[in-house]
Amino acid sequence: MGMENPNLPPRPSSAASLFLSSAPVAGSEALVIRSAPQAFSQFPTPPFSSGPVVGSQGSAFRPPPPGSSNELVRPTPSPVSSSYGPPPTGFQRFQNFAMHSTGQAAPPLPTAQPVVPPGPPPTGPPAGPRTLAPVPILSQPQPPSIPMRFPDSTKTEQIHTNVHPSQPFSLFRPNSQPSSTSMGPSFATGWAAYQPSFPGVANGHPNSVPQAPPLHPPSFSSQQGAYAPPAPASPFLSQQRSYGPAPLATSIGYPGIQTHDHGIAPPTGTPQGMAEDFSSLSLGSAPGSFDTGLDAEALPRPLDGHLELKSFAEMYPTNCSSTFLRLTTSGIPNSQSLASRWHLTVGAIVCPLAEAPAGEEVPVVNFATTGIVRCKRCRTYVNPYVTFTDNGRKWKCNMCSLLNDVQGDYFAHLDASGRRVDLDQRPELLKGSIELIAPAEYMVRPPMPPLFYFLIDVSISAAKSGVLEVVAQTIKSSLDSLPGYPRTQIGFITYDSTIHFYNMKSSLMQPQMMVISDLDDVFVPLPDDLLVNLSESRNVVEAFLDSLPSMFQDNMNVESAFGPALKAAFTVMSKVGGKVLIFQSTLPSLGVGRLRLRGDDIRVYGTDKEHLLRVPEDPFYKQMAADFTKFQIAVNVYAFSEKYTDIASLGTLAKYTGGQVYYYPSFQSSIHKCKLKHELTRDLTRETAWEAVMRIRCSKGVRFTSYHGNFMLRSTDLLALPAVDCDKAYAAQLSLDETLLTTQTVYFQVALLYTSSSGERRIRLHTAAAPVVTDLGEMYRLADTAAIVSMFSRLAIEKSLSYKLEDARNAVRIRIVKALREYRNLYAVQHRLSGRMIYPESLKFLPLYGLALCKSTPLRGGYGDVQLDECSAAGFTMMALPVKKLLKLLYPNLVRVDDLLLKSYPQIDESDIIKMRVHLTVKSLDTRGLYIFDDGFRFVIWLGGSISPDIGRKLLGEDFSGDYSKVSLSPRDNDMSIKLQKMLFKFRESDPSYFQLCHLVRQNEQPREATPTSATKCINFSSRSDEKGPTSLTPCLHPLEQNVYA
Amino acid sequence: MVKLTMIARVTDGLPLAEGLDDGRDVSDADFYKQQVKSLFKNLSRGHNEASRMSVETGPYIFHYIIEGRVCYLTMCDRAYPKKLAFQYLEDLKNEFERTYGNQIETAARPYAFIKFDTFIQKTKKLYQDTRTQRNISKLNDELYEVHQIMTRNVQEVLGVGEKLDEVSQMSSRLTSESRIYADKAKDLNRQALIRKWAPVAIVLGVVFLLFWVKNKLW
C-alpha cells in the first residue's frame, strides 16, 4: 500500500477528465504497467499462463520512452502515466478489451458512467472473468482462446475501477486486504445491477429477485444487447449468485487471484465446461425426486488410479514435481479464521527421494569453492523463486525477503528483464528439484559406508517355517547388488535363548561362532570382525549364509532373546550406523524387552484401554529406538509368526528410526517365498540415503507444526532419518503464525541432507510455491484429494494409538462432514439443491476414500475382525506409504481379464489394462468373468460362479473344481496361463515396492481355514467393496449425508 | 597404536579420505579431529612447514608427511614408535598416489576418495601391534631415517596463526586507543586552561562587580 501511495495524486485529475477524453486511459495503463513489474519481480520466469501476457503488455509499453526498463522493474509513480503510452493507443486498447469482454458494450460505457459511479464499474469485476466468460462466446461466433481473453478481463477490472474516483484506492491492490465490508456496498450494487441483464435467468429463479432490486436499470439497458441470455441457464445463475454472499466473493480487489482462478480451472472458460462443473457438483437422488436416498451408483469412483492437480503444476512450472511434495490444498488460507473454516487440514505430503518422473532427472549441482548459497537469516537455499536485484549484486530471499549479498564467484549480470545472464547454466535457479554436493561443513564425520546388520531369530518356528532358508538365500543372491561397493559392511547375529556372534575375519575360511548365554549383561566378544567389509570377507559371508539353514535345522529352542540381541547389535554398530534387519519368528521371551501375550482379552475391546494394545507395552522399545536414531541406525522388522508377536512393540523400533515393518503372518516357505524374496531384495538393493536429516522451510507467516510418519524429531522441525528411500513419505501439518498473511505466495522448501551409498554427502532440495487465497471456495477448488487422504490416514492411525478405533474413524468422518457442510453453506443456497449433497469437483472422491480409509486394515472393526498384529503392521506401513501407493491400497484396481485371455492379443499393453479397470461394485462383477483385484500388496483372482470351465481348467489344471485353498496359480503350459502370468508380471512390474501374492477366490465360496489370514482378510476386503459394494457404501454415506444437511 | 588417520589436500585443506571407525577408543576424538582440521587449515594458509613433522598433543602425537600437495596425517600414542608411524604413512602415500594420484587436483567435493578407507583399515591393522615380527623387523631396519624429523607442540604449531591474529588485534587496539588518548589529551588541555585562568577571571569578575555595585549605589 505504502509503496503505491505516490500514485494517488495524479489520479483524481485524470479521473475527472476520464469520460471525455482518453487521458484516463493512460492512468489505467499506469496501473497495468504497475501490475506488470509486480509479476516480474515475483516470478523470474513467467510462472503461469497469464505471466507472458502481462509481461508482453509491459514490454509493449516500453518502446516509446527510451530507457524505461528500469521503471518496469521499479514502478515510479506519476511520470509513468504521462510518459507511457500515447493516449490514442491506449484508447485503442481500451476498445479492444471492450470488444473482447463485453461484446458491443464498449461505446455506451463511457457515456453511462457519470450517472452511476459506484454501480456498473464493479459489475465487471465481481461477475468477474467467470461470468463474463461465456458472453463473448455467445455474442461472437468463435470463442477467443483463454489466454487471450483473460488479461483483458483483468484489465477490465483495473480500468473500470479507475473510472470512478470515489472508490477507495485500496481496491486496486491485488494483494491488499480490504475487508469484505469495505467492498460490500459497491459489490452488492454491482451484483444487483447485473441482474437485469439476464432477465430470463432471473425469472427462472424467483427467489433471487427480491434480493436484487435493480438499482439503475437505464444504465444497463444499453448493455443488455450485449448480454445475450446464456444457454446453460442454471449454471450461469448459480455461478453468478455465488457472489452473493459478500465475504466469500473474490472481487474487485483481487485481480491477481482471479487470474489464478483462470489458470487453474480451464473448464470455467467455456459454457460447456461450466455446465460440467456444476452437474458434477450435485450428488444424490435424481433431479426431481425428493427422497434423500443416496444412489451409490452415482458416487464418483476414481478409475484413473491417482489424482493429479495438473493445472497447479502449470501455474508454477518451476515447482518440484508433485511426487516429491503435495499440498492438501494449493491455496494457502490468508488468515487463521479462514484456515479454521477449512476442516481438511492444511499440510503437505513429502516424499523426498521419490523416483523422479520419467525423463526428469534431478540435476546435481556442485557449488565447490563458492560454498552453498543460502539466505543469511532463514537459511533457505537458493532456488528458482529468489530474485536478483541491484544489477545482480544482491538477491532477495523468497522466504523472508532479506536482501543477501551475492558472493563474488556467484555473481552474474542481469539482462534487461532482470534475469541473470547465466540462468541457463544454473539448474538451481531453473528447477524445483535439485541436488547439491555438500561441502565439508555439512559433515560431522566422513560419509559412512552402507552397513547391513542382520539379526535373525533361529528358534524352532523359524527353522520350521523355512524362513531361515529363504532369508539366507535371498541375502546371498543380493550380495552382489548391495549398494556402496567396495565399502559395504555386513554382519550377523542369530539368537534363540542365547546370542550367537559370528567372526567373519577375511583371513578365515569358515566363520567362527561365539555363543553368549549371559543375557543380563551382554558383552561383545570381539572388538573387530563382527562387522566386516563385504568385499574382503565375501567368502566367509557366503560360507555362513550357506550353512545357516542347516545349522539350525534341528533347533528345538522355543525361546527368543530378542532384547539382548538387539542391544548387542547396537553395541557393534553404534560406531558407524546403518541398517538392522530383524527377522523375528516368535514373541520375544527372554531378557530385556520380553513381551507377553496381549489382546486375547475380549473385554478390552471397545473400552478406553483398547488403544493400549496398539502401543508398545515396554518402554524399552522406544528407548532403544531413540538410541538407534542417535547413532544413525535404521531398523527394519520382518515378522513371520502365525501367533501373536506384538508387532505394536516391535514396530516401534521401525517407527522411530525411519524403518519399515514387513509382516508375513504364518509364513510358509512354499507360499510366501517369492514375496519375502522380492521384498527383502528390494529392501537391500534399492538406493538408500543414509544418516539423513530433513527440514521443511516455509515462508514467513506459516509454519509446519506437526509431522507424521516414521522418523524421530531431533528438534522442533528437524526430522532425523537414519535411512530413507523412495518408498517413504512423510506428512507435515501447516499452521499460520500471524493472523493475516500479506504476501501473495507462500514458498516451501524441503531440504534433505544425506549420505548416498557411494559415500557422497548431498542435499536434496524441493522447492514449491503456492498462492495465498482469501476465499474458502478457492481453497476447495485447489484441494488435492490424494494428499488430503494421505494426511487423514496418518492422522487417523496416530489417533488410533491413543483412542479407540471408533474414535479414529469418527474423526475422519467428522472432518469430511464438516468440510462438506462448510462447502454446502457456501454454495448450496444458490444452487437450490436443498436435498442433495454437493461437493467441489476437486473433492469428488473424498467421501469414497474417507470410507475406504475407515475400512482399511488399521482402522477397521475390532476384535475378531482384524488381528492385532496385522492391524499394527498395516498401520506402520501406511504411515510411511507415498501418496500413490496409499490411494491404490485404499481403492484397489479391479480388472476383468477373461476377455483378454480368450482373445488373442499379440501384446498386452499397460494402457489397455488401465482402460479396462472397472468400478469396485458388485454390479461390475459378472458371474462369467475372471477378475484381478490389485491393491499394490496382493492380488485376488476372482472367478465368477459360472465361469467357463475351459478357462478354469486351463488356468488351474484338473483340480479346478476342487478345493481352492490347495490350488496355486502356477504357470501351466498353455497360452492362457502364460498370458495371465504375463499380465500379473506387468502389474507387478508397475509397482515394485511390494510383491503381490495371488489369492484365488471363487464366487459364493467361503474361504477355507487353511487359507492364510492375509488372504482371508483380503477376500473380506474385496467382498466388502465388490460384492456388498452398494450395501456397504450406502449406510456409511447416509449419516455422512445427513450430517452435511444438518 | 594408530588412532586416527586423515588425508587432505594441502592447497585448500579439503579432506580427501579418512579412516572409518577411527577414534573408537579415544574418548574425545572430536576434539582431536578439530585440532587436525585447524592444522590442515594452517598448512593450507601456506605456513610452510617441513614435509615431515611430529606434533605433540596431550597424550597423543600427530605425525604427518606432505607429499605431492597431499598431507597424510595419523594420530598415535606417544609410546608408539615414530618409525612405524612414518612407515605407515609412507605405505598410505604410495597406495594413494598409485590409485588417485591424477585425480587429486580435480577433486571437488570433500571426502572424494572415501573409498580409500578400506585400504586404511587394512594397513592400520598391520601396524596395530608393534611386536609382530614384521613390525619389529621394520623397526630394526635402518634404511628409514626418522631422527631428524622435528617434534613440536601443537600449541606452537597452531599458535603461529594465533600469534599473527594477536598482533593484528593489538595493533588495531593500539590505533583505537591512541585515538581515545588524543581526545582525552585535548580535553585535559582545555581543563588545564580553565584551571589556569579561572581564578583570575573570578577575581576580575568580583572586582568589576564591586565597581558596578559601587557605581550603582552611589
PDB file of all heavy atoms in Angstrom, chain A residues 119-131:
ATOM      1  N   GLY A 119     -21.988   2.059  -9.285  1.00  0.00           N
ATOM      2  CA  GLY A 119     -22.774   0.933  -9.773  1.00  0.00           C
ATOM      3  C   GLY A 119     -22.074   0.037 -10.762  1.00  0.00           C
ATOM      4  O   GLY A 119     -21.521  -0.977 -10.380  1.00  0.00           O
ATOM      5  N   PRO A 120     -22.100   0.430 -11.986  1.00  0.00           N
ATOM      6  CA  PRO A 120     -21.680  -0.508 -13.009  1.00  0.00           C
ATOM      7  C   PRO A 120     -20.205  -0.916 -12.926  1.00  0.00           C
ATOM      8  O   PRO A 120     -19.923  -2.058 -13.202  1.00  0.00           O
ATOM      9  CB  PRO A 120     -21.944   0.223 -14.322  1.00  0.00           C
ATOM     10  CG  PRO A 120     -22.456   1.557 -13.952  1.00  0.00           C
ATOM     11  CD  PRO A 120     -22.561   1.687 -12.480  1.00  0.00           C
ATOM     12  N   PRO A 121     -19.346  -0.015 -12.586  1.00  0.00           N
ATOM     13  CA  PRO A 121     -17.953  -0.426 -12.727  1.00  0.00           C
ATOM     14  C   PRO A 121     -17.653  -1.774 -12.097  1.00  0.00           C
ATOM     15  O   PRO A 121     -17.098  -2.626 -12.749  1.00  0.00           O
ATOM     16  CB  PRO A 121     -17.177   0.687 -12.033  1.00  0.00           C
ATOM     17  CG  PRO A 121     -18.076   1.865 -12.120  1.00  0.00           C
ATOM     18  CD  PRO A 121     -19.473   1.340 -12.098  1.00  0.00           C
ATOM     19  N   PRO A 122     -18.039  -1.981 -10.877  1.00  0.00           N
ATOM     20  CA  PRO A 122     -17.657  -3.260 -10.299  1.00  0.00           C
ATOM     21  C   PRO A 122     -18.376  -4.435 -10.927  1.00  0.00           C
ATOM     22  O   PRO A 122     -17.991  -5.561 -10.699  1.00  0.00           O
ATOM     23  CB  PRO A 122     -18.039  -3.128  -8.820  1.00  0.00           C
ATOM     24  CG  PRO A 122     -18.516  -1.737  -8.633  1.00  0.00           C
ATOM     25  CD  PRO A 122     -18.797  -1.161  -9.944  1.00  0.00           C
ATOM     26  N   THR A 123     -19.399  -4.162 -11.656  1.00  0.00           N
ATOM     27  CA  THR A 123     -20.106  -5.291 -12.247  1.00  0.00           C
ATOM     28  C   THR A 123     -19.158  -6.189 -12.980  1.00  0.00           C
ATOM     29  O   THR A 123     -19.264  -7.399 -12.896  1.00  0.00           O
ATOM     30  CB  THR A 123     -21.161  -4.837 -13.257  1.00  0.00           C
ATOM     31  OG1 THR A 123     -21.065  -3.452 -13.388  1.00  0.00           O
ATOM     32  CG2 THR A 123     -22.520  -5.278 -12.846  1.00  0.00           C
ATOM     33  N   GLY A 124     -18.308  -5.544 -13.720  1.00  0.00           N
ATOM     34  CA  GLY A 124     -17.348  -6.366 -14.454  1.00  0.00           C
ATOM     35  C   GLY A 124     -16.579  -7.265 -13.511  1.00  0.00           C
ATOM     36  O   GLY A 124     -16.663  -8.468 -13.589  1.00  0.00           O
ATOM     37  N   PRO A 125     -15.933  -6.633 -12.578  1.00  0.00           N
ATOM     38  CA  PRO A 125     -15.099  -7.444 -11.694  1.00  0.00           C
ATOM     39  C   PRO A 125     -15.824  -8.543 -10.928  1.00  0.00           C
ATOM     40  O   PRO A 125     -15.417  -9.685 -11.014  1.00  0.00           O
ATOM     41  CB  PRO A 125     -14.497  -6.430 -10.743  1.00  0.00           C
ATOM     42  CG  PRO A 125     -14.596  -5.134 -11.484  1.00  0.00           C
ATOM     43  CD  PRO A 125     -15.744  -5.237 -12.430  1.00  0.00           C
ATOM     44  N   PRO A 126     -16.866  -8.205 -10.214  1.00  0.00           N
ATOM     45  CA  PRO A 126     -17.429  -9.293  -9.404  1.00  0.00           C
ATOM     46  C   PRO A 126     -17.969 -10.397 -10.270  1.00  0.00           C
ATOM     47  O   PRO A 126     -17.788 -11.571  -9.979  1.00  0.00           O
ATOM     48  CB  PRO A 126     -18.537  -8.635  -8.592  1.00  0.00           C
ATOM     49  CG  PRO A 126     -18.871  -7.383  -9.307  1.00  0.00           C
ATOM     50  CD  PRO A 126     -17.631  -6.970 -10.028  1.00  0.00           C
ATOM     51  N   ALA A 127     -18.653  -9.994 -11.307  1.00  0.00           N
ATOM     52  CA  ALA A 127     -19.095 -11.050 -12.198  1.00  0.00           C
ATOM     53  C   ALA A 127     -17.863 -11.727 -12.735  1.00  0.00           C
ATOM     54  O   ALA A 127     -17.858 -12.893 -13.038  1.00  0.00           O
ATOM     55  CB  ALA A 127     -19.909 -10.460 -13.326  1.00  0.00           C
ATOM     56  N   GLY A 128     -16.872 -10.891 -12.825  1.00  0.00           N
ATOM     57  CA  GLY A 128     -15.529 -11.411 -12.994  1.00  0.00           C
ATOM     58  C   GLY A 128     -15.321 -12.101 -14.297  1.00  0.00           C
ATOM     59  O   GLY A 128     -16.208 -12.156 -15.149  1.00  0.00           O
ATOM     60  N   PRO A 129     -14.191 -12.628 -14.444  1.00  0.00           N
ATOM     61  CA  PRO A 129     -13.889 -13.330 -15.665  1.00  0.00           C
ATOM     62  C   PRO A 129     -14.828 -14.502 -15.865  1.00  0.00           C
ATOM     63  O   PRO A 129     -15.113 -14.902 -16.966  1.00  0.00           O
ATOM     64  CB  PRO A 129     -12.480 -13.864 -15.423  1.00  0.00           C
ATOM     65  CG  PRO A 129     -11.969 -13.130 -14.224  1.00  0.00           C
ATOM     66  CD  PRO A 129     -13.150 -12.575 -13.494  1.00  0.00           C
ATOM     67  N   ARG A 130     -15.305 -15.002 -14.759  1.00  0.00           N
ATOM     68  CA  ARG A 130     -16.130 -16.203 -14.891  1.00  0.00           C
ATOM     69  C   ARG A 130     -17.438 -15.926 -15.596  1.00  0.00           C
ATOM     70  O   ARG A 130     -17.775 -16.557 -16.555  1.00  0.00           O
ATOM     71  CB  ARG A 130     -16.460 -16.738 -13.504  1.00  0.00           C
ATOM     72  CG  ARG A 130     -15.295 -17.384 -12.840  1.00  0.00           C
ATOM     73  CD  ARG A 130     -15.811 -18.337 -11.836  1.00  0.00           C
ATOM     74  NE  ARG A 130     -15.116 -18.159 -10.582  1.00  0.00           N
ATOM     75  CZ  ARG A 130     -15.535 -18.696  -9.451  1.00  0.00           C
ATOM     76  NH1 ARG A 130     -16.656 -19.375  -9.442  1.00  0.00           N
ATOM     77  NH2 ARG A 130     -14.868 -18.536  -8.350  1.00  0.00           N
ATOM     78  N   THR A 131     -18.149 -14.937 -15.059  1.00  0.00           N
ATOM     79  CA  THR A 131     -19.452 -14.696 -15.639  1.00  0.00           C
ATOM     80  C   THR A 131     -19.324 -14.071 -17.006  1.00  0.00           C
ATOM     81  O   THR A 131     -20.150 -14.289 -17.867  1.00  0.00           O
ATOM     82  CB  THR A 131     -20.291 -13.775 -14.757  1.00  0.00           C
ATOM     83  OG1 THR A 131     -19.409 -13.023 -13.973  1.00  0.00           O
ATOM     84  CG2 THR A 131     -21.254 -14.567 -13.926  1.00  0.00           C
TER      85      THR A 131
END
